[in-house]
Amino acid sequence: MRVVIIGTGYVGSVTGAGLASAGHDVICTDVNKEKIDAWNGDTPPIIEPGLFELVKKHRGKNLIFTTELTNALNEAEFVFVCVNTPQKENGINKGSFDMRYVDSSARTIAQHVCDGVIIVEKSTVPLRTAEHLTRVLRANMNDKKFAVVSNPEFLAEGTAVEDFLHPDRVLIGTKNEDEWARVKMAELYSWVPKDKLIFPNLWSSELAKLANNLSLVMRLTTINSLTELCEETGADITEVSKVVGMDKRLSQYFLRAGVGFGGSCFRKDVSALIYLMGHYFGADNPYGKLFSAALSLNDHLRTRFVQSIGYYLHSFGSKTIVLLGLSFKPETDDVRDAPAVTIAKYLLEDGARLRIVDPVATKHAKTLFQEYLSQIELFDKPDNVFEGAHAIVVVTEWKQFQDIDFNSAAPKMQKPAWVFDGRNMLDPKKITTAGLNYYGIGRGVFYADLSSPNAK
Ligand code: NAD
Ligand code: UGA
């Protein structure tokens, strides 16, 4: 089947490569020429495990990357809208999604597609977006037949290819009268087991995407809301989380407490729901208040982590800190709303010198920390970074950081030396035996074993 993808970011590129690997003919387009050149070159514009291998396997055969959208549209049976829908920062619908890229895509599609095309909402959008798209298309497509289908994406960065190829479920939300589009969409996803193809109504499908992210956010908020209490009382959040996760009704996943969630989607999708609740039920509605509390709590986790570091270091000025991780989570180079960025800025503002270690994301550091270039050094591995440092701060749980030899790092550091673990990924016992003090969020402090030769 012939598919056009609009937008080759994290979602568009994975969708394009995934559909090509299922045997479809895919043309991926983007307005960003540099991105398209990168997809056609040797270095991909984004890092996602397994993605570039898949792209290279199909590129030039049944997968094409181009900035030329209009020709591609003429032949398309499906057009996937995968453009960004960032949070609207100001103006009339402040807090909701900024829909300008979806809207302009719809207007271009309307000018160039042929009869019988299916327009697929893949981007995360506000409720009833399909209605707006239908109006724009209807007004510009004369009597051509088309359907707008909601097919939201649930992939997570870092596991995107695997998530797309082996999804928990695929939503195909349509209007009742668009049975023909339902059938064609099911054929497009023919590799997905039948019981995982779900056919809700359009509006349920659009809302289900937001509901899914809200549920994940609420779950994280529950466990993160107990971290400070744990530290105050001597409970250990990793033990609490393990117990909760053993309840079959709740499961062990998405219960890792720490410095809070980041990424391009959780904050903006929950903000859009807050906006939506305000729109339907007034500014003072209890739903929006509940969701806003989750976002405030998440901000609080970042500030409090820096306050905790400050409490034990006493001051940041002229201190050297090794910051482990910059991306918002491991296995991605994405730094959008990354806790590490906020935390680094707090530390830099207070005069700390940072050695930032991240396997793939330090390429963003010069733009992110423009005002503080003289205070930062960048590394892609945690080698030769501990000499003279006062503290190690873990913000992203890259598995490489598990292998750090703290016995050899400790003697190089200034005493008393600290490890602040924002992800509870390290074993406190190993750290304290190596002669370092350890602080974990919701775990509290484990002091260095002073009998260790490294502790002095
Ligand atoms: P992204 O910013 O990585 O990519 C979007 C791409 O669209 C960019 O390359 C941009 O240049 C391109 N674009 C914008 N306007 C265009 C136009 N008119 N024509 C052609 N290309 C255009 O965004 P993303 O992370 O891939 O997210 C895309 C959508 O998918 C968002 O709505 C997001 O909420 C949703 N989503 C993202 C994820 C994720 O993990 N990143 C997961 C599920 C859903
Ligand atoms: C998330 C959802 O998991 C996807 O299903 C969804 O499609 C996507 O948002 C989206 O709509 O864009 P993503 O943001 O890529 O995916 O990454 P997650 O794995 O969900 O992690 C989000 C944040 O939560 C990260 O900062 C991560 O460190 C944090 N997290 C996750 C925790 O703090 N603890 C956990 O137990 C799990």
Side-chain angles (χ1 to χ4, degrees), residues 124 153-157 209 212-213 216 220 224 253-258 260-266 269 328-330 339 397 423:
T124 307
E153 184 48 60
F154 295 97
L155 64 78
E157 289 175 31
K209 169 64 201 176
N212 209 81
N213 275 355
L216 293 170
L220 279 181
N224 281 329
Y253 304 105
F254 249 77
L255 273 179
R256 280 177 287 114
F261 60 78
S264 62
C265 294
F266 279 176
D269 291 0
F328 83 97
K329 68 180 227 180
E397 66 277 34
R423 295 291 179 184

PDB file of all heavy atoms in Angstrom, residues 124 153-157 209 212-213 216 220 224 253-258 260-266 269 328-330 339 397 423, ligand 2:
ATOM      1  N   THR A 124      -0.363  13.550  18.490  1.00  0.00           N
ATOM      2  CA  THR A 124      -1.280  13.667  19.628  1.00  0.00           C
ATOM      3  C   THR A 124      -1.995  15.010  19.517  1.00  0.00           C
ATOM      4  O   THR A 124      -1.348  16.049  19.375  1.00  0.00           O
ATOM      5  CB  THR A 124      -0.494  13.580  20.952  1.00  0.00           C
ATOM      6  OG1 THR A 124       0.286  12.388  20.915  1.00  0.00           O
ATOM      7  CG2 THR A 124      -1.424  13.569  22.143  1.00  0.00           C
ATOM      8  N   GLU A 153      -0.356   7.286  18.604  1.00  0.00           N
ATOM      9  CA  GLU A 153       0.851   6.470  18.779  1.00  0.00           C
ATOM     10  C   GLU A 153       1.203   6.366  20.268  1.00  0.00           C
ATOM     11  O   GLU A 153       1.167   7.341  20.985  1.00  0.00           O
ATOM     12  CB  GLU A 153       2.008   7.125  18.002  1.00  0.00           C
ATOM     13  CG  GLU A 153       3.268   6.325  18.022  1.00  0.00           C
ATOM     14  CD  GLU A 153       3.039   4.840  17.678  1.00  0.00           C
ATOM     15  OE1 GLU A 153       2.558   4.541  16.582  1.00  0.00           O
ATOM     16  OE2 GLU A 153       3.332   3.983  18.547  1.00  0.00           O
ATOM     17  N   PHE A 154       1.543   5.137  20.682  1.00  0.00           N
ATOM     18  CA  PHE A 154       1.866   4.911  22.096  1.00  0.00           C
ATOM     19  C   PHE A 154       3.337   4.563  22.306  1.00  0.00           C
ATOM     20  O   PHE A 154       3.724   4.176  23.413  1.00  0.00           O
ATOM     21  CB  PHE A 154       0.995   3.774  22.656  1.00  0.00           C
ATOM     22  CG  PHE A 154      -0.474   4.126  22.683  1.00  0.00           C
ATOM     23  CD1 PHE A 154      -1.321   3.727  21.654  1.00  0.00           C
ATOM     24  CD2 PHE A 154      -1.002   4.874  23.721  1.00  0.00           C
ATOM     25  CE1 PHE A 154      -2.673   4.067  21.665  1.00  0.00           C
ATOM     26  CE2 PHE A 154      -2.350   5.219  23.743  1.00  0.00           C
ATOM     27  CZ  PHE A 154      -3.190   4.812  22.714  1.00  0.00           C
ATOM     28  N   LEU A 155       4.160   4.689  21.251  1.00  0.00           N
ATOM     29  CA  LEU A 155       5.567   4.310  21.424  1.00  0.00           C
ATOM     30  C   LEU A 155       6.240   5.207  22.458  1.00  0.00           C
ATOM     31  O   LEU A 155       5.856   6.354  22.652  1.00  0.00           O
ATOM     32  CB  LEU A 155       6.320   4.376  20.086  1.00  0.00           C
ATOM     33  CG  LEU A 155       6.485   5.724  19.373  1.00  0.00           C
ATOM     34  CD1 LEU A 155       7.576   6.580  19.973  1.00  0.00           C
ATOM     35  CD2 LEU A 155       6.773   5.496  17.910  1.00  0.00           C
ATOM     36  N   ALA A 156       7.249   4.652  23.139  1.00  0.00           N
ATOM     37  CA  ALA A 156       8.075   5.451  24.048  1.00  0.00           C
ATOM     38  C   ALA A 156       9.458   5.560  23.433  1.00  0.00           C
ATOM     39  O   ALA A 156       9.939   4.602  22.800  1.00  0.00           O
ATOM     40  CB  ALA A 156       8.145   4.792  25.417  1.00  0.00           C
ATOM     41  N   GLU A 157      10.093   6.712  23.574  1.00  0.00           N
ATOM     42  CA  GLU A 157      11.433   6.871  23.023  1.00  0.00           C
ATOM     43  C   GLU A 157      12.384   5.903  23.717  1.00  0.00           C
ATOM     44  O   GLU A 157      12.222   5.587  24.893  1.00  0.00           O
ATOM     45  CB  GLU A 157      11.886   8.328  23.177  1.00  0.00           C
ATOM     46  CG  GLU A 157      11.113   9.215  22.221  1.00  0.00           C
ATOM     47  CD  GLU A 157      11.412  10.697  22.401  1.00  0.00           C
ATOM     48  OE1 GLU A 157      12.535  11.047  22.794  1.00  0.00           O
ATOM     49  OE2 GLU A 157      10.498  11.499  22.152  1.00  0.00           O
ATOM     50  N   LYS A 209      -5.686   8.389  23.899  1.00  0.00           N
ATOM     51  CA  LYS A 209      -4.251   8.715  23.878  1.00  0.00           C
ATOM     52  C   LYS A 209      -3.900   9.610  25.077  1.00  0.00           C
ATOM     53  O   LYS A 209      -2.937   9.368  25.792  1.00  0.00           O
ATOM     54  CB  LYS A 209      -3.900   9.411  22.551  1.00  0.00           C
ATOM     55  CG  LYS A 209      -2.537  10.039  22.492  1.00  0.00           C
ATOM     56  CD  LYS A 209      -1.427   9.023  22.614  1.00  0.00           C
ATOM     57  CE  LYS A 209      -0.135   9.652  23.049  1.00  0.00           C
ATOM     58  NZ  LYS A 209       0.955   8.712  23.276  1.00  0.00           N
ATOM     59  N   ASN A 212      -4.195   7.741  28.349  1.00  0.00           N
ATOM     60  CA  ASN A 212      -3.083   6.829  28.617  1.00  0.00           C
ATOM     61  C   ASN A 212      -1.906   7.575  29.261  1.00  0.00           C
ATOM     62  O   ASN A 212      -1.338   7.132  30.264  1.00  0.00           O
ATOM     63  CB  ASN A 212      -2.636   6.204  27.294  1.00  0.00           C
ATOM     64  CG  ASN A 212      -2.053   4.841  27.494  1.00  0.00           C
ATOM     65  OD1 ASN A 212      -2.797   3.873  27.623  1.00  0.00           O
ATOM     66  ND2 ASN A 212      -0.751   4.747  27.549  1.00  0.00           N
ATOM     67  N   ASN A 213      -1.557   8.722  28.676  1.00  0.00           N
ATOM     68  CA  ASN A 213      -0.450   9.490  29.266  1.00  0.00           C
ATOM     69  C   ASN A 213      -0.812  10.027  30.640  1.00  0.00           C
ATOM     70  O   ASN A 213       0.022  10.038  31.556  1.00  0.00           O
ATOM     71  CB  ASN A 213      -0.038  10.631  28.328  1.00  0.00           C
ATOM     72  CG  ASN A 213       0.959  10.162  27.277  1.00  0.00           C
ATOM     73  OD1 ASN A 213       1.408   9.019  27.316  1.00  0.00           O
ATOM     74  ND2 ASN A 213       1.305  11.018  26.342  1.00  0.00           N
ATOM     75  N   LEU A 216      -0.323   7.245  33.149  1.00  0.00           N
ATOM     76  CA  LEU A 216       1.094   7.008  33.460  1.00  0.00           C
ATOM     77  C   LEU A 216       1.626   8.110  34.384  1.00  0.00           C
ATOM     78  O   LEU A 216       2.363   7.842  35.343  1.00  0.00           O
ATOM     79  CB  LEU A 216       1.917   6.946  32.167  1.00  0.00           C
ATOM     80  CG  LEU A 216       1.633   5.745  31.257  1.00  0.00           C
ATOM     81  CD1 LEU A 216       2.321   5.899  29.905  1.00  0.00           C
ATOM     82  CD2 LEU A 216       2.067   4.440  31.918  1.00  0.00           C
ATOM     83  N   LEU A 220       3.088   7.665  38.252  1.00  0.00           N
ATOM     84  CA  LEU A 220       4.398   8.155  38.703  1.00  0.00           C
ATOM     85  C   LEU A 220       4.229   9.158  39.840  1.00  0.00           C
ATOM     86  O   LEU A 220       5.022   9.185  40.781  1.00  0.00           O
ATOM     87  CB  LEU A 220       5.128   8.850  37.548  1.00  0.00           C
ATOM     88  CG  LEU A 220       5.839   7.968  36.542  1.00  0.00           C
ATOM     89  CD1 LEU A 220       6.529   8.812  35.493  1.00  0.00           C
ATOM     90  CD2 LEU A 220       6.858   7.074  37.245  1.00  0.00           C
ATOM     91  N   ASN A 224       6.076   9.129  43.411  1.00  0.00           N
ATOM     92  CA  ASN A 224       6.970  10.262  43.688  1.00  0.00           C
ATOM     93  C   ASN A 224       6.472  11.113  44.851  1.00  0.00           C
ATOM     94  O   ASN A 224       7.254  11.751  45.541  1.00  0.00           O
ATOM     95  CB  ASN A 224       7.118  11.130  42.436  1.00  0.00           C
ATOM     96  CG  ASN A 224       8.085  10.526  41.432  1.00  0.00           C
ATOM     97  OD1 ASN A 224       9.040   9.835  41.811  1.00  0.00           O
ATOM     98  ND2 ASN A 224       7.856  10.751  40.148  1.00  0.00           N
ATOM     99  N   TYR A 253       5.572  -2.053  36.677  1.00  0.00           N
ATOM    100  CA  TYR A 253       6.095  -1.055  35.753  1.00  0.00           C
ATOM    101  C   TYR A 253       5.689   0.369  36.139  1.00  0.00           C
ATOM    102  O   TYR A 253       4.679   0.591  36.781  1.00  0.00           O
ATOM    103  CB  TYR A 253       5.633  -1.360  34.320  1.00  0.00           C
ATOM    104  CG  TYR A 253       6.033  -2.755  33.900  1.00  0.00           C
ATOM    105  CD1 TYR A 253       5.091  -3.773  33.844  1.00  0.00           C
ATOM    106  CD2 TYR A 253       7.363  -3.049  33.634  1.00  0.00           C
ATOM    107  CE1 TYR A 253       5.469  -5.056  33.502  1.00  0.00           C
ATOM    108  CE2 TYR A 253       7.748  -4.327  33.291  1.00  0.00           C
ATOM    109  CZ  TYR A 253       6.796  -5.335  33.233  1.00  0.00           C
ATOM    110  OH  TYR A 253       7.171  -6.604  32.906  1.00  0.00           O
ATOM    111  N   PHE A 254       6.509   1.316  35.694  1.00  0.00           N
ATOM    112  CA  PHE A 254       6.213   2.735  35.896  1.00  0.00           C
ATOM    113  C   PHE A 254       6.042   3.103  37.363  1.00  0.00           C
ATOM    114  O   PHE A 254       5.118   3.828  37.749  1.00  0.00           O
ATOM    115  CB  PHE A 254       4.984   3.144  35.072  1.00  0.00           C
ATOM    116  CG  PHE A 254       5.386   4.054  33.949  1.00  0.00           C
ATOM    117  CD1 PHE A 254       5.987   3.543  32.816  1.00  0.00           C
ATOM    118  CD2 PHE A 254       5.237   5.424  34.058  1.00  0.00           C
ATOM    119  CE1 PHE A 254       6.418   4.383  31.799  1.00  0.00           C
ATOM    120  CE2 PHE A 254       5.652   6.274  33.057  1.00  0.00           C
ATOM    121  CZ  PHE A 254       6.250   5.749  31.912  1.00  0.00           C
ATOM    122  N   LEU A 255       6.911   2.555  38.190  1.00  0.00           N
ATOM    123  CA  LEU A 255       6.874   2.859  39.625  1.00  0.00           C
ATOM    124  C   LEU A 255       8.248   3.244  40.132  1.00  0.00           C
ATOM    125  O   LEU A 255       8.498   3.175  41.323  1.00  0.00           O
ATOM    126  CB  LEU A 255       6.382   1.625  40.392  1.00  0.00           C
ATOM    127  CG  LEU A 255       4.881   1.449  40.560  1.00  0.00           C
ATOM    128  CD1 LEU A 255       4.590   0.166  41.323  1.00  0.00           C
ATOM    129  CD2 LEU A 255       4.250   2.632  41.306  1.00  0.00           C
ATOM    130  N   ARG A 256       9.160   3.604  39.206  1.00  0.00           N
ATOM    131  CA  ARG A 256      10.499   3.995  39.656  1.00  0.00           C
ATOM    132  C   ARG A 256      10.468   5.449  40.095  1.00  0.00           C
ATOM    133  O   ARG A 256      10.323   6.363  39.274  1.00  0.00           O
ATOM    134  CB  ARG A 256      11.527   3.808  38.525  1.00  0.00           C
ATOM    135  CG  ARG A 256      11.988   2.365  38.366  1.00  0.00           C
ATOM    136  CD  ARG A 256      12.935   2.191  37.210  1.00  0.00           C
ATOM    137  NE  ARG A 256      12.250   2.277  35.926  1.00  0.00           N
ATOM    138  CZ  ARG A 256      12.425   3.235  35.034  1.00  0.00           C
ATOM    139  NH1 ARG A 256      13.270   4.217  35.258  1.00  0.00           N
ATOM    140  NH2 ARG A 256      11.744   3.228  33.905  1.00  0.00           N
ATOM    141  N   ALA A 257      10.574   5.650  41.417  1.00  0.00           N
ATOM    142  CA  ALA A 257      10.537   7.018  41.943  1.00  0.00           C
ATOM    143  C   ALA A 257      11.888   7.676  41.714  1.00  0.00           C
ATOM    144  O   ALA A 257      12.906   7.005  41.606  1.00  0.00           O
ATOM    145  CB  ALA A 257      10.218   6.972  43.423  1.00  0.00           C
ATOM    146  N   GLY A 258      11.888   8.999  41.642  1.00  0.00           N
ATOM    147  CA  GLY A 258      13.149   9.711  41.453  1.00  0.00           C
ATOM    148  C   GLY A 258      12.899  11.184  41.224  1.00  0.00           C
ATOM    149  O   GLY A 258      11.976  11.771  41.786  1.00  0.00           O
ATOM    150  N   GLY A 260      11.672  12.632  38.824  1.00  0.00           N
ATOM    151  CA  GLY A 260      10.440  12.968  38.102  1.00  0.00           C
ATOM    152  C   GLY A 260      10.539  12.739  36.615  1.00  0.00           C
ATOM    153  O   GLY A 260      11.599  12.441  36.082  1.00  0.00           O
ATOM    154  N   PHE A 261       9.388  12.884  35.957  1.00  0.00           N
ATOM    155  CA  PHE A 261       9.344  12.590  34.526  1.00  0.00           C
ATOM    156  C   PHE A 261       9.721  13.803  33.698  1.00  0.00           C
ATOM    157  O   PHE A 261       9.606  14.946  34.140  1.00  0.00           O
ATOM    158  CB  PHE A 261       7.963  12.073  34.117  1.00  0.00           C
ATOM    159  CG  PHE A 261       6.836  13.043  34.394  1.00  0.00           C
ATOM    160  CD1 PHE A 261       6.605  14.120  33.563  1.00  0.00           C
ATOM    161  CD2 PHE A 261       5.998  12.854  35.487  1.00  0.00           C
ATOM    162  CE1 PHE A 261       5.561  15.009  33.805  1.00  0.00           C
ATOM    163  CE2 PHE A 261       4.950  13.738  35.740  1.00  0.00           C
ATOM    164  CZ  PHE A 261       4.744  14.816  34.910  1.00  0.00           C
ATOM    165  N   GLY A 262      10.191  13.520  32.477  1.00  0.00           N
ATOM    166  CA  GLY A 262      10.477  14.576  31.506  1.00  0.00           C
ATOM    167  C   GLY A 262       9.998  14.098  30.157  1.00  0.00           C
ATOM    168  O   GLY A 262       9.162  13.207  30.061  1.00  0.00           O
ATOM    169  N   GLY A 263      10.573  14.693  29.089  1.00  0.00           N
ATOM    170  CA  GLY A 263      10.189  14.282  27.744  1.00  0.00           C
ATOM    171  C   GLY A 263       9.251  15.282  27.110  1.00  0.00           C
ATOM    172  O   GLY A 263       8.789  16.226  27.757  1.00  0.00           O
ATOM    173  N   SER A 264       8.960  15.043  25.832  1.00  0.00           N
ATOM    174  CA  SER A 264       8.214  16.047  25.070  1.00  0.00           C
ATOM    175  C   SER A 264       6.705  15.904  25.239  1.00  0.00           C
ATOM    176  O   SER A 264       5.961  16.743  24.762  1.00  0.00           O
ATOM    177  CB  SER A 264       8.567  15.912  23.595  1.00  0.00           C
ATOM    178  OG  SER A 264       8.180  14.629  23.138  1.00  0.00           O
ATOM    179  N   CYS A 265       6.246  14.843  25.891  1.00  0.00           N
ATOM    180  CA  CYS A 265       4.807  14.572  25.815  1.00  0.00           C
ATOM    181  C   CYS A 265       4.019  14.664  27.114  1.00  0.00           C
ATOM    182  O   CYS A 265       2.905  15.189  27.109  1.00  0.00           O
ATOM    183  CB  CYS A 265       4.599  13.209  25.188  1.00  0.00           C
ATOM    184  SG  CYS A 265       5.132  13.215  23.473  1.00  0.00           S
ATOM    185  N   PHE A 266       4.546  14.138  28.212  1.00  0.00           N
ATOM    186  CA  PHE A 266       3.724  14.063  29.427  1.00  0.00           C
ATOM    187  C   PHE A 266       3.211  15.443  29.857  1.00  0.00           C
ATOM    188  O   PHE A 266       2.018  15.640  30.072  1.00  0.00           O
ATOM    189  CB  PHE A 266       4.508  13.424  30.569  1.00  0.00           C
ATOM    190  CG  PHE A 266       4.541  11.916  30.517  1.00  0.00           C
ATOM    191  CD1 PHE A 266       5.277  11.185  31.444  1.00  0.00           C
ATOM    192  CD2 PHE A 266       3.834  11.221  29.556  1.00  0.00           C
ATOM    193  CE1 PHE A 266       5.309   9.797  31.401  1.00  0.00           C
ATOM    194  CE2 PHE A 266       3.855   9.830  29.492  1.00  0.00           C
ATOM    195  CZ  PHE A 266       4.598   9.130  30.425  1.00  0.00           C
ATOM    196  N   ASP A 269       0.784  16.948  27.218  1.00  0.00           N
ATOM    197  CA  ASP A 269      -0.501  16.257  27.077  1.00  0.00           C
ATOM    198  C   ASP A 269      -1.381  16.480  28.308  1.00  0.00           C
ATOM    199  O   ASP A 269      -2.593  16.685  28.187  1.00  0.00           O
ATOM    200  CB  ASP A 269      -0.275  14.755  26.826  1.00  0.00           C
ATOM    201  CG  ASP A 269       0.337  14.499  25.445  1.00  0.00           C
ATOM    202  OD1 ASP A 269       0.583  15.475  24.713  1.00  0.00           O
ATOM    203  OD2 ASP A 269       0.575  13.328  25.099  1.00  0.00           O
ATOM    204  N   PHE A 328      16.361  13.026  28.535  1.00  0.00           N
ATOM    205  CA  PHE A 328      15.281  12.912  29.531  1.00  0.00           C
ATOM    206  C   PHE A 328      15.116  11.492  30.045  1.00  0.00           C
ATOM    207  O   PHE A 328      14.512  11.262  31.080  1.00  0.00           O
ATOM    208  CB  PHE A 328      13.964  13.473  28.985  1.00  0.00           C
ATOM    209  CG  PHE A 328      13.162  12.523  28.132  1.00  0.00           C
ATOM    210  CD1 PHE A 328      12.119  11.780  28.678  1.00  0.00           C
ATOM    211  CD2 PHE A 328      13.429  12.393  26.784  1.00  0.00           C
ATOM    212  CE1 PHE A 328      11.363  10.909  27.895  1.00  0.00           C
ATOM    213  CE2 PHE A 328      12.693  11.523  25.996  1.00  0.00           C
ATOM    214  CZ  PHE A 328      11.659  10.787  26.550  1.00  0.00           C
ATOM    215  N   LYS A 329      15.670  10.524  29.312  1.00  0.00           N
ATOM    216  CA  LYS A 329      15.698   9.134  29.772  1.00  0.00           C
ATOM    217  C   LYS A 329      16.781   8.409  28.986  1.00  0.00           C
ATOM    218  O   LYS A 329      17.270   8.953  27.985  1.00  0.00           O
ATOM    219  CB  LYS A 329      14.331   8.480  29.615  1.00  0.00           C
ATOM    220  CG  LYS A 329      13.888   8.271  28.183  1.00  0.00           C
ATOM    221  CD  LYS A 329      12.536   7.625  28.161  1.00  0.00           C
ATOM    222  CE  LYS A 329      12.478   6.477  27.218  1.00  0.00           C
ATOM    223  NZ  LYS A 329      11.206   5.814  27.136  1.00  0.00           N
ATOM    224  N   PRO A 330      17.183   7.202  29.395  1.00  0.00           N
ATOM    225  CA  PRO A 330      18.246   6.517  28.671  1.00  0.00           C
ATOM    226  C   PRO A 330      17.814   6.101  27.269  1.00  0.00           C
ATOM    227  O   PRO A 330      16.622   6.042  26.972  1.00  0.00           O
ATOM    228  CB  PRO A 330      18.504   5.261  29.521  1.00  0.00           C
ATOM    229  CG  PRO A 330      17.817   5.480  30.801  1.00  0.00           C
ATOM    230  CD  PRO A 330      16.723   6.456  30.576  1.00  0.00           C
ATOM    231  N   PRO A 339      14.721  16.524  33.010  1.00  0.00           N
ATOM    232  CA  PRO A 339      15.044  16.986  34.364  1.00  0.00           C
ATOM    233  C   PRO A 339      16.504  17.443  34.467  1.00  0.00           C
ATOM    234  O   PRO A 339      16.808  18.423  35.150  1.00  0.00           O
ATOM    235  CB  PRO A 339      14.804  15.745  35.223  1.00  0.00           C
ATOM    236  CG  PRO A 339      13.790  14.940  34.473  1.00  0.00           C
ATOM    237  CD  PRO A 339      14.069  15.199  33.014  1.00  0.00           C
ATOM    238  N   GLU A 397      19.310   7.452  34.021  1.00  0.00           N
ATOM    239  CA  GLU A 397      19.839   6.141  34.413  1.00  0.00           C
ATOM    240  C   GLU A 397      20.393   5.330  33.238  1.00  0.00           C
ATOM    241  O   GLU A 397      19.967   4.202  32.977  1.00  0.00           O
ATOM    242  CB  GLU A 397      18.792   5.355  35.210  1.00  0.00           C
ATOM    243  CG  GLU A 397      17.533   4.936  34.456  1.00  0.00           C
ATOM    244  CD  GLU A 397      16.457   6.002  34.350  1.00  0.00           C
ATOM    245  OE1 GLU A 397      16.789   7.204  34.252  1.00  0.00           O
ATOM    246  OE2 GLU A 397      15.273   5.632  34.337  1.00  0.00           O
ATOM    247  N   ARG A 423      17.942   8.844  40.405  1.00  0.00           N
ATOM    248  CA  ARG A 423      17.147   7.755  39.806  1.00  0.00           C
ATOM    249  C   ARG A 423      17.199   6.481  40.625  1.00  0.00           C
ATOM    250  O   ARG A 423      16.695   5.447  40.177  1.00  0.00           O
ATOM    251  CB  ARG A 423      17.652   7.460  38.382  1.00  0.00           C
ATOM    252  CG  ARG A 423      17.454   8.597  37.411  1.00  0.00           C
ATOM    253  CD  ARG A 423      15.994   8.835  37.095  1.00  0.00           C
ATOM    254  NE  ARG A 423      15.802   9.950  36.179  1.00  0.00           N
ATOM    255  CZ  ARG A 423      14.619  10.399  35.826  1.00  0.00           C
ATOM    256  NH1 ARG A 423      13.524   9.854  36.299  1.00  0.00           N
ATOM    257  NH2 ARG A 423      14.516  11.419  35.012  1.00  0.00           N
TER     258      ARG A 423
HETATM  259  C1  UGA B   2       5.674   8.366  26.991  1.00  0.00           C
HETATM  260  C2  UGA B   2       4.760   7.145  27.075  1.00  0.00           C
HETATM  261  O1  UGA B   2       5.407   6.097  27.804  1.00  0.00           O
HETATM  262  C3  UGA B   2       4.409   6.625  25.675  1.00  0.00           C
HETATM  263  O2  UGA B   2       3.485   5.549  25.776  1.00  0.00           O
HETATM  264  C4  UGA B   2       3.783   7.773  24.885  1.00  0.00           C
HETATM  265  O3  UGA B   2       3.514   7.359  23.571  1.00  0.00           O
HETATM  266  C5  UGA B   2       4.739   8.957  24.849  1.00  0.00           C
HETATM  267  O4  UGA B   2       5.048   9.368  26.207  1.00  0.00           O
HETATM  268  C6  UGA B   2       4.137  10.145  24.173  1.00  0.00           C
HETATM  269  O5  UGA B   2       2.952  10.327  24.137  1.00  0.00           O
HETATM  270  O6  UGA B   2       4.956  10.886  23.664  1.00  0.00           O
HETATM  271  P1  UGA B   2       8.287   8.753  26.606  1.00  0.00           P
HETATM  272  O7  UGA B   2       8.001  10.137  27.067  1.00  0.00           O
HETATM  273  O8  UGA B   2       9.065   8.553  25.375  1.00  0.00           O
HETATM  274  O9  UGA B   2       6.898   7.953  26.389  1.00  0.00           O
HETATM  275  O10 UGA B   2       9.087   7.956  27.754  1.00  0.00           O
HETATM  276  P2  UGA B   2       8.660   7.182  29.108  1.00  0.00           P
HETATM  277  O11 UGA B   2       9.357   5.894  29.131  1.00  0.00           O
HETATM  278  O12 UGA B   2       7.206   7.161  29.318  1.00  0.00           O
HETATM  279  O13 UGA B   2       9.331   8.107  30.212  1.00  0.00           O
HETATM  280  C7  UGA B   2       8.822   9.403  30.507  1.00  0.00           C
HETATM  281  C8  UGA B   2       9.504   9.957  31.750  1.00  0.00           C
HETATM  282  O14 UGA B   2       9.072   9.249  32.899  1.00  0.00           O
HETATM  283  C9  UGA B   2      11.040   9.838  31.714  1.00  0.00           C
HETATM  284  O15 UGA B   2      11.612  11.038  32.165  1.00  0.00           O
HETATM  285  C10 UGA B   2      11.325   8.700  32.662  1.00  0.00           C
HETATM  286  O16 UGA B   2      12.586   8.808  33.269  1.00  0.00           O
HETATM  287  C11 UGA B   2      10.196   8.869  33.670  1.00  0.00           C
HETATM  288  N1  UGA B   2       9.898   7.612  34.398  1.00  0.00           N
HETATM  289  C12 UGA B   2       9.415   6.531  33.730  1.00  0.00           C
HETATM  290  C13 UGA B   2      10.120   7.545  35.766  1.00  0.00           C
HETATM  291  O17 UGA B   2      10.537   8.544  36.393  1.00  0.00           O
HETATM  292  N2  UGA B   2       9.856   6.372  36.430  1.00  0.00           N
HETATM  293  C14 UGA B   2       9.371   5.288  35.794  1.00  0.00           C
HETATM  294  O18 UGA B   2       9.129   4.247  36.456  1.00  0.00           O
HETATM  295  C15 UGA B   2       9.148   5.356  34.415  1.00  0.00           C
END
